[in-house]
Amino acid sequence: MEKVALDDVERVAASGKAVIAADDCTSVSTVRDAITSGRSATFYTSLSQAKAVKTWYWTPARVRETGIRKVSDEEKAKIAQELGIEDIGVFRCNRIECECGHMYGAFEFLQQGIKEHGRSAVLSVFAMKNAAVMRINPPDLLVCPNCDELLPERMTYDNGTYGCCFGTEE
């Protein structure tokens, strides 16, 4: 019988966060409930659970509505060269134009993530191979790196290991 190390689970629970172990159906239902209720949460799921949520959430209509699209090869190259993130996978996001005219996209999102959370935290998300991080209804405050003003819209993003869903139903 394989031993289960609970040190990490205990450490997370002691910090005031919940750790939930459940079957796939319950896990996916819990994520869907957070999305539809508008509550904010971060879930660490199996890849198959994340795929089930994304298949349900990212309908063709929602993709069109949000303007989410694949990050261009040029922007990926800029991310690799200037931010040191070599492989962002198939990253999709919308683009937000600031009043100053600057366009906020994947590069700016990752740049802000590094500034707020540190390079190692951002890189650790992209290093995950057997799990997915899903931020549901995140309370992100986006800041234009050009003029330092808050952007009025939310960033919508999704890739193979990291996704963001907002609680709007079709």
Side-chain angles (χ1 to χ4, degrees), residues 3 20 24 42 103 110 119 126:
K3 290 184 181 182
I20 301 169
D24 285 351
T42 301
M103 193 62 74
L110 295 171
R119 179 177 304 287
F126 288 103

Side-chain angles (χ1 to χ4, degrees), residues 25-37:
C25 183
T26 302
S27 296
V28 170
S29 293
T30 302
V31 175
R32 285 179 63 167
D33 288 347
I35 292 168
T36 58
S37 72

Side-chain angles (χ1 to χ4, degrees), residues 75-87:
E75 190 168 15
K76 284 183 179 183
K78 182 178 178 181
I79 289 167
Q81 182 179 2
E82 295 185 32
L83 301 179
I85 303 173
E86 296 297 326
D87 184 12

Side-chain angles (χ1 to χ4, degrees), residues 46-65:
S46 71
L47 297 176
S48 64
Q49 291 164 350
K51 183 178 180 181
V53 171
K54 290 175 185 183
T55 299
W56 163 77
Y57 186 80
W58 289 110
T59 63
R62 186 166 283 123
V63 169
R64 282 189 304 277
E65 174 187 312

Side-chain angles (χ1 to χ4, degrees), residues 71 76 79 83-92 106 109-111 113-114 118-133 157-163:
V71 173
K76 284 183 179 183
I79 289 167
L83 301 179
I85 303 173
E86 296 297 326
D87 184 12
I88 65 168
V90 181
F91 198 109
R92 296 173 182 90
F109 175 75
L110 295 171
Q111 182 182 48
I114 290 169
R119 179 177 304 287
S120 62
V122 173
L123 292 175
S124 68
V125 171
F126 288 103
M128 295 175 78
K129 301 297 180 212
N130 299 310
V133 180
Y157 50 90
D158 175 40
N159 79 3
T161 59
Y162 189 55

Side-chain angles (χ1 to χ4, degrees), residues 30-31 34-35 38-44 133-139 163-165:
T30 302
V31 175
I35 292 168
R39 289 188 301 269
S40 181
T42 301
F43 293 93
Y44 298 84
V133 180
M134 300 189 75
R135 295 195 64 214
I136 306 304
N137 298 310
C164 170
C165 302

